[in-house]
Amino acid sequence: MTSTWAFLGPSGTFCEMALQQVAPDNARLEPCQDVATALDRVRERVADSAVVPIENSVEGGVNATLDNLVASAPLVIAAEVAVPVTFVLAGRPGTSLDRVRAISTHPHAWAQCRGWVHLNLPEASYVAGTSTSAPARALAESDDPLSFEAVLCNPLAAQRYGLEVLAGGVADNPDAVTRFVQVTRPGRVGEPTGADKTTLMVQAPHDRAGALLDMLEQFSARGVNLSRIESRPVGDSLGRYRFSIDVEGHIREERVQAAFIGLHRTCPMVRFLGSYPRLDARPVVVPAGTSDKDFIVARAWVADILAGRTI
Ligand SMILES: O=C(O)C(=O)C[C@]1(C(=O)O)C=C[C@@H](O)C=C1
């Protein structure tokens, strides 16, 4: 059966390159104008999965994704992929570099090429685009006058839309990578692989000294290592934050469950956002005393006490 995959479009985005790594060959593609629309397509059951950016090695977390994942009906991450991001400056054939007055691209792409533009086209202004390929397509297809002469996009998008590369290798950091996630509606949680990651959003109590430390101790006490943590404003008033967290391990593992139970007991909001194989397939190191077997043996010991078999 054909599945439908939503992504940040139009065709030619880095997001589409990420999608190609995880979607089946016969997938029906649904390009969307922004991350929120792509995720809503899954909530509305128009799409089975969405592929959206979540983190860039230069710019950090993609707030539109981190916030939207907890904004309305639950969604979970099913897989992660990484795409090396390389940018070119492209324009309509015949455009010369010294005629470029304004450049359009996605804000994250602009942030990753700002240094190059500052050095090479210091007078050029920036026009925000909904993605890297949306302004590339507009340059190629629009008959209307546009407010920019060039775009920052990936080399494939420049080729796809028949644009001329005016300058290559324009990223400030040539090794930049963006991590994308495949997002689906929640269902029965799959089995652990031993090299998994779990994503969650937690709001720590805000009215007490040490609340953040207490929240982190729920993980450290169970030997659960964090691989990412970033704060996001709750949005209702100044000074209230929640934390977007990736931990090493799977929700089917005892120590991860114990940490979740501790968070649920002590924090006003906890949202499970998926357990999925980690991209580098590196097995998770489980500290002594926190393996599933350790938990099972300890629980059996308590059961013996309750039954009067041990004291
Ligand atoms: O506009 C695109 O091509 C995207 O896939 C989005 C996006 C992002 O949101 O960070 C992805 C990779 C690059 O870092 C720049 C833009």
Side-chain angles (χ1 to χ4, degrees), residues 8 13-15 53 56 62 85 87 106 108-109 112 131-132 178 180:
L8 176 66
T13 54
F14 290 102
C15 202
N56 175 264
V62 178
V85 281
F87 294 101
H106 188 279
H108 285 171
Q112 292 175 70
S131 69
T132 55
T178 298
F180 293 81

Side-chain angles (χ1 to χ4, degrees), residues 38-251:
L39 294 175
D40 279 346
R41 288 284 176 270
V42 180
R43 292 189 175 103
E44 293 156 3
R45 298 179 173 269
V46 174
D48 303 287
S49 289
V51 174
V52 290
I54 194 162
E55 182 183 9
N56 175 264
S57 60
V58 177
E59 268 300 287
V62 178
N63 297 338
T65 300
L66 297 176
D67 293 345
N68 190 286
L69 283 174
V70 291
S72 60
L75 292 171
V76 288
I77 299 172
E80 63 174 357
V81 286
V83 174
V85 281
T86 24
F87 294 101
V88 295
L89 183 78
R92 286 180 174 143
T95 308
S96 71
L97 199 53
D98 55 13
R99 297 270 307 277
V100 173
R101 300 272 169 273
I103 300 171
S104 183
T105 193
H106 188 279
H108 285 171
W110 180 250
Q112 292 175 70
C113 303
R114 222 172 356 218
W116 185 91
V117 175
H118 185 69
L119 266 185
N120 295 279
L121 293 167
E123 304 292 314
S125 60
Y126 170 55
V127 177
T130 53
S131 69
T132 55
S133 63
R137 187 174 72 171
L139 262 193
E141 294 176 0
S142 175
D143 294 330
D144 301 329
L146 295 174
S147 55
F148 54 90
E149 297 81 30
V151 297
L152 289 162
C153 62
N154 71 57
L156 284 175
Q159 198 183 32
R160 182 161 311 172
Y161 292 111
L163 299 179
E164 188 175 315
V165 173
L166 311 178
V170 298
D172 298 334
N173 181 339
D175 301 320
V177 173
T178 298
R179 188 163 68 90
F180 293 81
V181 285
Q182 176 201 350
V183 176
T184 61
R185 292 179 294 279
R188 187 186 173 278
V189 174
E191 296 304 318
T193 66
D196 302 292
K197 209 184 229 187
T198 295
T199 299
L200 66 155
M201 184 75 100
V202 190
Q203 191 175 330
H206 66 281
D207 50 1
R208 157 170 88 64
L212 178 57
L213 185 61
D214 290 350
M215 191 264 274
L216 293 174
E217 272 178 350
Q218 299 295 343
F219 298 105
S220 71
R222 279 93 186 189
V224 177
N225 190 33
L226 271 56
S227 58
R228 180 184 62 85
I229 177 165
E230 35 199 318
S231 62
R232 294 294 308 139
V234 173
D236 51 2
S237 63
L238 277 175
R240 278 162 56 77
Y241 292 94
R242 52 194 174 200
F243 297 89
S244 172
I245 297 175
D246 288 346
V247 302
E248 292 184 353
H250 194 284
I251 189 72

